Structures are given as structure tokens and as C-alpha cells.
Amino acid sequence: DLRRCLISTDVHTIEESFRGIKKAIQAKDIFQNVTILSPSETLHSIKPSDVCCVTKNLLAFYMDRVFKDHLEPNPQILRKISSIANSFLSMQKTLQQCQKQRLCHCGQEATNATRIIHDNYDQLEVRSAAIKSLGELDIFLAWIDKHHHGTSA
Amino acid sequence: VPCVSGGLPKPTNITFLSINMKNTLQWNPPEGLQGVAVTYTVQYFIYGQKKWLNKSECRNINRTYCDLSAETSDYEHQYYAKVKATWGMNCSKWTETRRFYPFLETQIGPPEVALTTDEKSISIVLTAPEKWKKNPEDSSVSMQQIYSNLKYNVSIYNTKSNRTWSQCVANHTLVLSWLEPDTLYCVVVESIVPGPPRLAQPSEKQCVRTLKDQTSALKVK
């Protein structure tokens, strides 16, 4: 169903991976008064037509910045993060198809939301920003599940 | 006069118990102080905001739980809470929950179940549970509105054959056909949301008897 570009990846397997490391990752995030994704300013106001673009932008944010900037000493946690990154990679490939079909339009809200997230990330020291972004994966995954629910690309 | 912080051990096992977005903070008394007249004070924090906030109804309380539903009612936000114990001039350090995300962590209560029966069939009508609300006169929000992919696991038990089977349904009505007449069937239903596993809360068991077979009754005449 390419009318709306949606991801068919089973987000629940990714949520499963994340749930195994969530407690440890979030415990390392000591700045409770700061968020990166700031859902009420960004994700909660995204229109259906911008869902593909925001998903694409956030997948790129995690793949190109967060996963690269995070240094994980624990091999079990690293394995889970790698599994999540591989799932994100396949989602990116799906969305690239949509982009070719010009179905991944970026409206102003989508662009603003993406910029806010990158600005939040830049406010923090890079390791702290990476660990905080990892700790907020449950927000992003719940948003994907809610907005890419039902039909598949 | 401020208490001596760290003079007491911390409360333990602090967690949120969340059912249909009714979010109750609960904890255990500090080790070795069970039965002692300890009091507790609670604070909560909205992830991304600036400071810890007091919960006035949970200042110097004796009980080991505190209802934070109103403070955590925006289920798409994330929260922390913490509690400390006080006894005389001594108090413990704070003990804190991990990040609490109601949208992913609340348990979904059972639906309301209405059964009507025929000779060989039972009709089941399910009504999704309601989200917690502060005042009874507030307008109701169904958990279905929050979780559009809410489903139900319906378990049916034939008391005559001792057989049980289950069906997972997405809509609110279900007709069980090809049943045995004049037989007692019992039904239990759980709400399910695909995604992270959540503790399930089964409905009260309800039993209903299918009607006698009218055709055989007529033959007898």
C-alpha cells in the first residue's frame, strides 16, 4: 500500500530488544530535566502526511548520530543495540523506496520537529546526548507503532 | 527542624502499579523497621521538566502507597517518583523509581462482558474498560481510544465436556455457534494490546446455560 508509506517491520521485536536494555540505559541518563525527542513539541503534533518524513529523519538521526556516538562497554547491551540498528537499517531501505515514489513528503512541522531534536542533541555533551537518546527509544518505537499501524508498504 | 538525612535505611521496592492509567506508587518499609511508626513523603518528576514536585496528600503519611494518577495522567509523558522515610528526628535518603511510561506500562483491565444465549449459540458483547478519571462526572475515555489495536482473548469452558478453547477477537461482538443445547458454558475475557507484554487481568468468570433443544422437545409430544 504505497498510497501512505508505512513500515511493515514488526516494531514489537525491536521493542522486545530495547526492553532488555532499557533499565540499564535509562539508569545511565542522569539529566532527568532534559529530553532529546521532546515528544510534546515534536512527535505529538505530526500530521499523517508527515509521518514518513519524520520516521525517515529519526531513523537517520539514530543511525548517523546516536548509534555512532554511543560507546557501550557491556557486550550484551551492545548486541541488543546492534540488533536494533539492523532493524532500523531495513526500515530505512523500505522508506528509501517510498522516497523514490515521492511518497515521503516533508512538511514544515516535520522539518521543525527534526531540527528541534538535533538541537536538543547538540545541547548536551555527545556521550550524554547519545545515552539519553538511546533511553528514549521507547518513545520513538511507540510513535512508530502508533503511526505505522495497520497497513504495510 | 530538618531531620538527619540518612539516619534511616531507605524504603525498598518502589514501583508504580498502573491499571487503566490509575497510577499508584507503592513501596515497602525500610529494612528492619516494619511495624515501627515510620512516616513517608513522596515527590514526583515529569521527565524533561525542571524540578521535583510535592504531592501534598502524601506528605508524612503512614501508608506505603500514594495515588499519583492525576499527576501522571498525560500518559504520553514519562515520570519518576521518589519516597523517603522519617522516624522521629531521623529520615532516610530518597529512593527513586526508574522512568515510568504509562502508555507502555499500564495494565489493561478486563472488558465488561454481556452474554445472551440461544439453543446452540451464545452471543458475547464486550465493552472496553475505561481510563482512570479524576472525578466520576468527568467524561469517560475508553482504553480503546488510547489503544486502537486493543484485542480480547475470550476463553470458553464447556462444563459438560470439560473442554476449554480460546479465541482472540478485535471487535466487540462474538457469537459462539454449534454449541451443545442445555449445557452450562463459562466465559472469561482478557484485554490484550500487541507490544510489550503487560500483566493481564481476566474478567470475572460468567456462566450461562444454552437453551433446551426445542426440536427434540416437540418430537416427544
Side-chain angles (χ1 to χ4, degrees):
Chain A
D1 169 12
L2 284 177
R3 282 187 312 283
R4 257 186 80 222
C5 180
L6 296 173
I7 291 169
S8 62
T9 310
D10 182 6
V11 174
H12 301 148
T13 48
I14 307 172
E15 283 174 332
E16 186 75 27
S17 294
F18 178 66
R19 216 159 20 71
I21 60 174
K22 172 174 172 173
K23 193 173 178 181
I25 293 280
Q26 290 185 346
K28 291 185 202 170
D29 176 8
I30 54 174
F31 301 102
Q32 295 168 334
N33 58 342
V34 181
T35 74
I36 302 288
L37 297 186
S38 307
S40 38
E41 292 169 67
T42 58
L43 298 177
H44 292 171
S45 54
I46 296 303
K47 303 197 297 283
S49 57
D50 280 337
V51 163
C52 176
C53 171
V54 169
T55 308
K56 177 172 63 68
N57 290 352
L58 280 188
L59 289 172
F61 166 71
Y62 273 96
M63 295 296 281
D64 304 338
R65 300 194 77 177
V66 178
F67 294 142
K68 283 181 178 166
D69 291 339
H70 177 63
L71 304 179
E72 181 51 55
N74 180 314
Q76 278 108 16
I77 293 178
L78 188 58
R79 199 174 306 122
K80 295 278 188 183
I81 292 174
S82 305
S83 157
I84 293 168
N86 285 323
S87 300
F88 278 15
L89 196 57
S90 77
M91 284 198 227
Q92 282 186 309
K93 284 179 181 148
T94 301
L95 295 186
Q96 270 154 22
Q97 296 310 312
C98 297
Q99 192 149 22
K100 284 177 192 156
Q101 314 272 342
R102 276 191 287 285
L103 282 165
C104 215
H105 165 73
C106 287
Q108 194 51 52
E109 283 98 347
T111 306
N112 291 347
T114 306
R115 198 198 68 251
I116 288 171
I117 289 166
H118 280 275
D119 287 350
N120 289 342
Y121 194 86
D122 294 330
Q123 303 284 321
L124 286 176
E125 180 271 331
V126 65
R127 302 290 171 240
S128 305
I131 198 81
K132 178 171 278 297
S133 305
L134 281 173
E136 294 182 4
L137 268 171
D138 51 359
I139 297 173
F140 180 39
L141 294 171
W143 182 83
I144 289 178
D145 193 26
K146 190 171 183 179
H147 288 81
H148 285 262
H149 177 71
T151 50
S152 57
Chain B
V1 174
C3 59
V4 175
S5 176
L8 284 188
K10 292 196 274 192
T12 58
N13 297 331
I14 184 170
T15 56
F16 274 99
L17 172 65
S18 177
I19 300 172
N20 295 336
M21 303 296 184
K22 176 178 173 52
N23 304 323
T24 306
L25 184 70
Q26 54 186 27
W27 59 88
N28 290 345
E31 293 290 336
L33 288 180
Q34 282 79 0
V36 175
V38 171
T39 62
Y40 303 96
T41 295
V42 168
Q43 290 188 335
Y44 67 97
F45 188 96
I46 302 169
Y47 178 55
Q49 302 289 308
K50 293 306 171 209
K51 56 189 173 75
W52 285 90
L53 302 169
N54 291 314
K55 167 76 173 177
S56 49
E57 296 90 340
C58 295
R59 180 198 297 271
N60 296 324
I61 55 173
N62 303 104
R63 60 182 188 277
T64 57
Y65 61 88
C66 171
D67 187 345
L68 289 173
S69 304
E71 290 74 17
T72 56
S73 60
D74 182 341
Y75 51 81
E76 293 201 300
H77 267 96
Q78 300 183 316
Y79 305 90
Y80 294 88
K82 63 183 180 183
V83 64
K84 72 175 181 181
T86 304
W87 183 35
M89 293 309 298
N90 287 299
C91 56
S92 73
K93 292 189 185 301
W94 294 99
T95 184
E96 198 174 301
T97 65
R98 51 191 189 80
R99 198 176 303 172
F100 170 59
Y101 191 5
F103 180 70
L104 286 186
E105 296 180 41
T106 199
Q107 292 173 50
I108 319 294
E112 272 179 35
V113 182
L115 305 179
T116 51
T117 173
D118 204 329
E119 284 171 36
K120 295 183 177 177
S121 68
I122 294 175
S123 298
I124 303 177
V125 176
L126 305 171
T127 307
E130 283 181 11
K131 175 182 184 287
W132 169 88
K133 54 186 180 183
K134 189 167 186 176
N135 305 304
E137 61 275 11
D138 291 348
S139 56
S140 294
V141 173
S142 164
M143 293 298 275
Q144 176 86 54
Q145 291 169 256
I146 298 169
Y147 301 97
S148 56
N149 52 354
L150 179 67
K151 293 183 173 58
Y152 303 104
N153 186 46
V154 181
S155 301
I156 309 105
Y157 169 61
N158 178 330
T159 61
K160 191 187 288 184
S161 67
N162 236 346
R163 203 175 127 252
T164 300
W165 73 96
S166 298
Q167 287 177 239
C168 189
V169 298
N171 43 32
H172 289 80
T173 54
L174 170 66
V175 177
L176 306 174
S177 307
W178 308 107
L179 303 179
E180 295 177 56
D182 194 18
T183 302
L184 189 66
Y185 287 89
C186 296
V187 174
V188 171
V189 187
E190 289 172 352
S191 305
I192 303 171
V193 170
R198 304 166 195 253
L199 282 178
Q201 292 222 312
S203 64
E204 293 276 331
K205 180 168 76 172
Q206 282 187 60
C207 301
V208 67
R209 179 178 294 278
T210 49
L211 304 184
K212 285 188 165 60
D213 187 350
Q214 300 308 320
T215 48
S216 60
L218 286 177
K219 277 179 203 140
V220 167
K221 279 187 181 150

